[in-house]
Amino acid sequence: MADNFIHEIIEKDLETHKYGDKVCTRFPPEPNGYLHIGHAKSICLNFSTAAKYGGKCNLRYDDTNPVKEDVEYVDSIEEDVRWLGFEWDKRLWASDYFDTMYEAAVELIKKGKAFVCDLTGEEIREYRGTLKEPGKESPCRNRTVEENLRLFEEMKAGKYKDGEKVLRAKIDMASPNINMRDPIIYRIAHTPHHNTGDKWCIYPMYDFAHPIEDAIEGITHSICTLEFEDHRPLYDWVLKEVGWWPAPPQQIEFARLNLTNTVMSKRYLKAMVDDGTVEGWDDPRMPTIAGIRRRGYTPEAVRNFCEAIGVAKANSTVDISLLEHCVREDLKEKVESRNVVFDPVKLIITNYPEGESELCDMDNNAQNPNLGTRQVTFSGELWIDGADFMEEPPKKYFRLFPGNEVRLKGAYFVTCTGFSKNEDGSIKEVYCTYDPDTRSGSGFEGRKVKGTIHFVNAKDAVPITIRQYGYLMTEDEEGNMVKNPDTVRTITAYAETAAAKAAPGERFQFFRHGYFVADSKLHTGEKPVFNEIVPLKSSWK
Ligand code: ATP
Ligand code: MG
């Protein structure tokens, strides 16, 4: 069953055998930066659409612009697509089609559908007209086919400087669609290309190249974002006028993904890398796939998110908390829990036998018994979260305060008997007694307590570094996206030994705090470093 308008189009085409029973899509990144979460949307859509209809999806590098490409990015693009869980049918380079594109341009000239134009860039802009006024025809428009063939050949041979001449499609200077007013299809650029070297000094424009790339590969449905809607008539025109493909591909536009608190332009992201706002393309705050991977997001969560937001025909902005919600939902039953104490305060159990300790069984995931249990040590000297003790509690505070009894998760009930302070007034130690009859798992059902808190045994607690993140971007009063000043908070917390032993990239719930991942670059057994993936509570409704 079709679950979006693109699938509806495909199912109709399958019914009418427009492309036989073939469905072929492509993901066409320009190798000029790392992929971001917006690209993930496009990747999921293209690859899962092909998979759904038993078709194929290519990975095609759109490298027709010699100035901007950088092969450095190619490895990262492939790693990211695979991390999301997809595998391409073919990996292709648009620049491999330069010969065919050149032939296609010659074909248009021969048919009287393209001409070499001598106007300068500025003149071409002036001649183009506006939305209200038609454009003016170039004085070169009526050159003969022979003259155009000769001039285009000379362009290719390097006889002219950059910008001296261009090849333009001959369509309609009065078209209400400005893209159809004799658009440029080839330009001169004496710039070597990473793939073709010095072979070419003329390069095709995107609107001419893209339909040809699709047609050569036998793409059936060329999915792109909404900005290209006005370019579709030109896409169709190129394929029809070149005329080499009996069942030309069709372009279908959908709304690009926008997220609150997030910029997704590769140019902007690159600037933040270059000016040191972030540590690199894979900084855990970055919306790049490399960044969200290092942040600890899972590919399943990203795919579920892309599925949940659907495929729209109108632009909108999705709340980033929906993405975080998908991450939380995916991790909920998958990862093990560990005890980690933030802002630690010492808890002394005054009636616990001096020098002794014991092992307590702890659920690894209360919602998923398949993840089993582990043992943690317990003794008369523990660390608890600073927020779990209050000298003078407000109403509805059920954790530790003088006279109150709470459950220590997986261990015993304890009752607070007092506390001491440091010189600066902060809490130094909290004192309590424990009730030996209340051991967790012993079947004790004598009385209920309202509060449950967690602990780490002081003797074998391991200090770990935790990095918590804010959004890189925020909105100012006028609704403009601006940089957030403070986006990383680094704290030291105390963890049970099993947490510190994590492998880089391993994820946990830190009980009552949130989801965390051992940083893939910085974490070691000696110096544990964790990134906060998402806090436990969602702000998303
Ligand atoms: P940027 O503006 O960030 O540089 P781009 O569109 O120039 O992005 P490409 O490498 O050309 O980047 O994009 C590859 C594919 O990903 C294109 O088909 C493009 O439409 C799609 N894409 C890019 N950004 C988004 C987005 N935010 N949502 C959905 N698809 C996107
Ligand atoms: Mg692009």
Side-chain angles (χ1 to χ4, degrees), residues 10 77 151 256 277 283 347 349 379-380 398 483 501 533:
I10 292 176
I77 289 172
L151 290 170
R256 68 191 295 120
T277 302
D283 186 298
L347 181 71
I349 306 175
S379 77
F398 300 120
K483 273 192 199 175
K501 282 201 203 108
I533 307 171

Side-chain angles (χ1 to χ4, degrees), residues 177-242:
N177 183 340
I178 294 182
N179 295 307
M180 300 297 274
R181 294 184 188 169
D182 294 2
I184 300 172
I185 58 178
Y186 256 95
R187 71 199 163 99
I188 300 169
H190 289 272
T191 308
H193 185 279
H194 75 90
N195 180 20
T196 55
D198 289 329
K199 179 173 174 191
W200 298 94
C201 62
I202 55 171
Y203 291 95
M205 303 300 286
Y206 179 90
D207 282 336
F208 176 70
H210 207 86
I212 294 177
E213 294 160 23
D214 286 340
I216 290 172
E217 291 176 19
I219 302 300
T220 55
H221 301 85
S222 177
I223 301 170
C224 67
T225 44
L226 230 44
E227 317 85 90
F228 292 98
E229 196 170 11
D230 287 349
H231 300 237
R232 191 186 340 137
L234 181 51
Y235 182 100
D236 292 339
W237 183 93
V238 168
L239 295 177
K240 178 166 163 274
E241 297 301 338
V242 174

Side-chain angles (χ1 to χ4, degrees), residues 29-73:
E30 207 178 322
N32 62 350
Y34 278 60
L35 299 182
H36 52 61
I37 180 82
H39 294 115
K41 172 77 207 175
S42 173
I43 292 168
C44 289
L45 182 57
N46 278 294
F47 281 91
S48 57
T49 295
K52 177 170 173 157
Y53 297 101
K56 294 186 166 153
C57 182
N58 291 340
L59 171 62
R60 179 208 307 150
Y61 293 109
D62 207 339
D63 62 342
T64 52
N65 182 349
V67 188
K68 290 203 300 183
E69 326 299 6
D70 199 331
V71 278
E72 163 205 339
Y73 299 116

Side-chain angles (χ1 to χ4, degrees), residues 22 33 70 74 157 170 179 200 219 226 271 296 304 366 435 452-453 465:
K22 230 178 73 176
D70 199 331
V74 164
K170 195 194 267 192
N179 295 307
W200 298 94
I219 302 300
L226 230 44
N304 292 343
D435 179 348
T452 297
I453 67 173
T465 299

Side-chain angles (χ1 to χ4, degrees), residues 458-527:
K459 203 162 166 214
D460 42 39
V462 182
I464 62 172
T465 299
I466 288 182
R467 306 192 295 176
Q468 293 176 300
Y469 301 105
Y471 301 121
L472 282 175
M473 308 302 295
T474 187
E475 267 185 20
D476 66 10
E477 291 99 62
E478 275 114 56
N480 303 311
M481 206 74 105
V482 292
K483 273 192 199 175
N484 231 342
D486 295 312
T487 52
V488 198
R489 192 163 78 114
T490 303
I491 57 172
T492 300
Y494 288 148
E496 63 175 281
T497 30
K501 282 201 203 108
E506 202 176 350
R507 304 176 183 91
F508 298 101
Q509 183 191 122
F510 288 171
F511 186 60
R512 299 175 61 225
H513 284 290
Y515 295 98
F516 292 81
V517 64
D519 189 79
S520 55
K521 277 189 171 164
L522 304 174
H523 174 88
T524 63
E526 293 75 50
K527 288 193 113 192

